[in-house]
Amino acid sequence: MKNLKINNRFTAELPADPNETNETRQVSNAVFSYVNPTKPSNPKLIHASKEVAELVGISKDEIKSEAFLNTFSGKEILPETRPYAMCYAGHQFGNWAGQLGDGRAINLTEVEHNNDFFTLQLKGAGKTPYSRTADGLAVLRSSVREYLCAEAMYHLGVPTTRSLSLMLSGDLVLRDILYNGNPAYEKGAIVCRVAPSFIRFGSFEMLTARNELKNLKDFTEYNIKHYFPEIKGEPKEQYLQFFKTVADKTREMILHWQRVGFVHGVMNTDNMSIHGVTIDYGPYGWLENYDPNWTPNTTDSQNRRYRFGNQPQIAQWNLYQLANALYPLINEAEPLEKILESFFTDFESDYKTMFLSKLGVFTLSKNDDKLITALETVLQLSETDMTIFFRNLSTIQKIDSVETAIEKIKNSFYIPEEISGDILDSWKKWFAVYLERLKTEELSDENRSEKMNAINPKYVLRNYMSQLAIDAADQGDYSLIDELYLLLQKPYDEQPEYEKWFAKRPDWARSKVGCSMLSCSS
Ligand code: AMP
Ligand code: MG
């Protein structure tokens, strides 16, 4: 891989763990430990992204090479690089969890290409000093889900880590999928993912919890210097600006999640990137019927802390933890609190603009709050598919009658026979107001429809679609991974050859493991 330009800033500038053994331990006074991937017994490439390869400086011909297979399966280490696992802590499900770290992620190297920096990281490449009691491995099903979803999100315009490659390791991994005493062997897999860095809120929490204030200062300054070089001024002012920038980026990311119906599932502070990119795809899911209370994560089914409608509040809660971690550098609560408060007020105003744009309303007027809340209510009266509803909404014309409008979106109802009586009346009332509202907008039907279709995706990675791809892949058939990968590169385009994917969740997937029920087992 001749154009891969190695440039390791993280390991060159930040404190390393002097212990270089691969034993599970607490690591203090360091932000990473050197560790090599475990050699897989028989790696096999399932899929690679040409686009991401080119982004980091790998040509499409090189993807087919032995060097690519060996490097991104962890079998061989690139010359002049030293892989490492990062040390971080975090709050999990609202509770302080202490040191976590890269338990099954290994950073291979940073590379520089076209003036951009990328960290290349393997997930599932074996134990590290942070593996605690676990095996450091990942199974095929969760790897397919991460690989496809990150690329789907990117093409939806949602900030995210990217996927370079998906490989089988050739080894078997023991997992109890539902944590109910039924462990079974599954195929092991390794994903190589790419991001500006994999630094998390929990990276800062770790240093503050250990009272390593010099490291905290150096680490924060490292982040500002390399990732947010536009931040200037007095040190304290810089730290505050840094926090504000992370808060802004996080807000933008969550807004996109709410726009496309993505539920992360495990918004622990160790899964929050300082770049505001979606990170660590685990038991995530896509809303099918619009239900703000839905979470795909069975591990969270009691409290539903990470349910769809709670994601903005949780992002703010996580930012509180980051603020606490940065506090010793600033020693003033007020400016941090101000940023945290404005996170929410800004989110609410952005959310309104975003939601209205999904409706094809691009100017603001005084009754719009009601239009939004009324729709959020009526969408939940009977199961209504979020993606199909908003996509079909763009076919409505200003001159349509209420009946015609309902006819155009009725394909989004899961139980059409329920749309009668009071429920039908509620829909009629909402559409009557909506159609009147559309008439006050200047855009022609055609122009509005075009703008709406660039905001409301036609295709998302529905939970059952991944599961079909996983079931086939488990049998050695990767054609569905290829198909979904291609489909989801153009999620806003009409793709008549793939119309079958513009469909509601089939009945068999309603309560199937892997489709609507996922655990943290991966
Ligand atoms: P997650 O909930 O997947 O973000 O993981 C939380 C923590 O557990 C992180 O520190 C992971 O590195 C670690 N972890 C998860 N699965 C494994 C595994 N199979 N082996 C080692 N560490 C793991
Ligand atoms: Mg994680």
Side-chain angles (χ1 to χ4, degrees):
M1 291 177 279
K2 59 181 189 334
N3 287 329
L4 211 52
K5 190 168 162 204
I6 309 295
N7 190 342
N8 280 303
R9 308 180 299 183
F10 190 89
T11 50
E13 296 178 35
L14 292 168
D17 175 8
N19 181 346
E20 293 185 7
T21 65
N22 193 359
E23 280 155 19
T24 304
R25 59 181 174 268
Q26 292 291 309
V27 175
S28 51
N29 276 309
V31 296
F32 69 95
S33 305
Y34 287 112
V35 62
N36 285 341
T38 301
K39 286 191 195 326
S41 63
N42 187 18
K44 192 167 176 276
L45 180 65
I46 295 180
H47 204 277
S49 163
K50 286 191 202 104
E51 205 185 47
V52 179
E54 275 166 14
L55 186 70
V56 302
I58 299 172
S59 74
K60 58 181 188 293
D61 292 333
E62 286 171 329
I63 289 176
K64 298 179 207 121
S65 68
E66 194 75 10
F68 187 90
L69 178 75
N70 289 341
T71 304
F72 299 111
S73 66
K75 196 171 172 187
E76 273 173 19
I77 293 164
L78 285 167
E80 288 163 62
T81 67
R82 285 190 79 187
Y84 57 98
M86 278 155 67
C87 181
Y88 52 80
H91 278 83
Q92 298 187 310
F93 298 96
N95 303 307
W96 175 242
Q99 178 183 301
L100 297 163
D102 287 331
R104 55 160 167 187
I106 296 180
N107 301 282
L108 293 180
T109 183
E110 282 178 88
V111 296
E112 186 182 351
H113 191 61
N114 294 335
N115 297 320
D116 271 328
F117 281 82
F118 305 96
T119 302
L120 310 182
Q121 185 188 74
L122 300 185
K123 183 164 173 183
K127 283 192 186 171
T128 76
Y130 308 97
S131 297
R132 296 177 287 159
T133 56
D135 56 13
L137 303 174
V139 291
L140 180 61
R141 63 185 152 81
S142 61
S143 306
V144 170
R145 283 168 50 83
E146 169 139 17
Y147 181 83
L148 285 177
C149 195
E151 287 306 286
M153 293 277 271
Y154 174 78
H155 291 286
L156 282 165
V158 186
T160 177
T161 58
R162 304 289 307 265
S163 305
L164 173 64
S165 59
L166 168 65
M167 311 225 179
L168 280 173
S169 63
D171 299 305
L172 291 177
V173 177
L174 192 62
R175 287 288 182 273
D176 186 359
I177 299 191
L178 290 180
Y179 300 121
N180 59 2
N182 289 305
Y185 282 100
E186 300 183 44
K187 289 180 184 170
I190 299 155
V191 168
C192 180
R193 53 187 193 175
V194 175
S197 89
F198 290 88
I199 295 171
R200 298 131 196 275
F201 291 10
S203 311
F204 295 83
E205 288 180 275
M206 179 80 273
L207 299 171
T208 306
R210 293 203 163 124
N211 205 22
E212 293 177 15
L213 299 187
K214 165 83 169 66
N215 286 340
L216 176 70
K217 182 171 180 288
D218 293 348
F219 186 65
T220 306
E221 285 173 1
Y222 172 90
N223 275 273
I224 294 169
K225 174 173 145 199
H226 291 301
Y227 308 126
F228 307 103
E230 66 284 2
I231 295 177
K232 302 269 187 262
E234 292 298 309
K236 218 187 234 189
E237 187 47 38
Q238 287 200 20
Y239 308 142
L240 279 169
Q241 270 305 314
F242 168 67
F243 181 61
K244 170 93 171 73
T245 308
V246 176
D248 286 345
K249 287 183 177 286
T250 303
R251 194 182 74 237
E252 281 161 30
M253 173 185 79
I254 304 285
L255 196 69
H256 282 291
W257 290 2
Q258 306 310 102
R259 173 175 65 84
V260 298
F262 175 80
V263 190
H264 183 283
V266 202
M267 288 177 71
N268 294 335
T269 56
D270 52 302
N271 290 338
M272 299 292 293
S273 153
I274 54 126
H275 304 284
V277 296
T278 313
I279 194 174
D280 279 11
Y281 291 86
Y284 70 82
W286 293 84
L287 275 202
E288 278 156 339
N289 53 298
Y290 186 85
D291 176 5
N293 286 318
W294 186 70
T295 174
N297 185 357
T298 52
T299 314
D300 188 27
S301 60
Q302 283 282 310
N303 296 321
R304 297 181 177 267
R305 179 179 172 85
Y306 298 142
R307 61 189 182 274
F308 178 67
N310 212 28
Q311 297 187 126
Q313 281 82 354
I314 292 294
Q316 191 194 32
W317 192 93
N318 289 339
L319 284 162
Y320 261 102
Q321 309 317 313
L322 180 60
N324 282 335
L326 294 171
Y327 178 79
L329 299 180
I330 297 160
N331 284 312
E332 255 188 284
E334 208 191 316
L336 288 165
E337 274 162 9
K338 246 174 133 176
I339 295 168
L340 286 162
E341 277 159 27
S342 70
F343 172 86
F344 218 80
T345 43
D346 291 350
F347 182 83
E348 285 190 324
S349 119
D350 288 357
Y351 180 80
K352 184 168 150 183
T353 311
M354 179 279 284
F355 203 98
L356 287 172
S357 71
K358 285 179 79 67
L359 298 177
V361 173
F362 297 99
T363 56
L364 296 183
S365 87
K366 69 176 187 325
N367 285 327
D368 288 338
D369 287 339
K370 266 199 220 144
L371 186 73
I372 295 173
T373 49
L375 177 60
E376 285 177 328
T377 305
V378 75
L379 276 170
Q380 295 173 66
L381 295 178
S382 174
E383 288 185 7
T384 309
D385 192 90
M386 178 181 178
T387 305
I388 297 178
F389 174 80
F390 282 105
R391 187 71 182 191
N392 283 2
L393 210 56
S394 73
T395 63
I396 288 173
Q397 299 184 323
K398 290 178 188 176
I399 52 145
D400 282 346
S401 66
V402 162
E403 287 72 22
T404 306
I406 294 179
E407 189 61 29
K408 287 181 172 172
I409 57 93
K410 85 166 192 236
N411 185 30
S412 56
F413 297 132
Y414 278 89
I415 313 166
E417 47 296 4
E418 278 185 7
I419 314 302
S420 64
D422 288 351
I423 297 182
L424 182 59
D425 283 347
S426 302
W427 273 115
K428 282 184 176 166
K429 261 193 213 145
W430 187 81
F431 268 111
V433 177
Y434 177 58
L435 287 166
E436 282 311 305
R437 180 68 180 86
L438 282 189
K439 288 182 191 138
T440 67
E441 286 280 292
E442 272 176 22
L443 281 182
S444 67
D445 287 330
E446 203 187 333
N447 288 348
R448 184 182 66 252
S449 167
E450 201 177 302
K451 280 182 89 169
M452 288 170 81
N453 286 346
I455 294 161
N456 297 320
K458 171 134 185 167
Y459 304 103
V460 295
L461 184 61
R462 291 171 183 268
N463 313 306
Y464 84 91
M465 291 160 67
S466 306
Q467 192 56 40
L468 289 173
I470 290 164
D471 290 342
D474 203 38
Q475 303 299 312
D477 173 1
Y478 307 124
S479 56
L480 212 43
I481 294 179
D482 291 341
E483 181 171 330
L484 295 181
Y485 177 85
L486 288 175
L487 168 77
L488 295 166
Q489 288 204 315
K490 293 179 187 151
Y492 298 100
D493 288 8
E494 296 292 326
Q495 301 183 60
E497 70 278 27
Y498 290 137
E499 193 67 20
K500 68 172 185 230
W501 298 120
F502 183 61
K504 284 171 286 205
R505 166 199 62 218
D507 244 8
W508 61 261
R510 180 176 283 270
S511 51
K512 189 178 174 342
V513 174
C515 294
S516 63
M517 289 204 302
L518 291 138
S519 73
C520 288
S521 155
S522 56

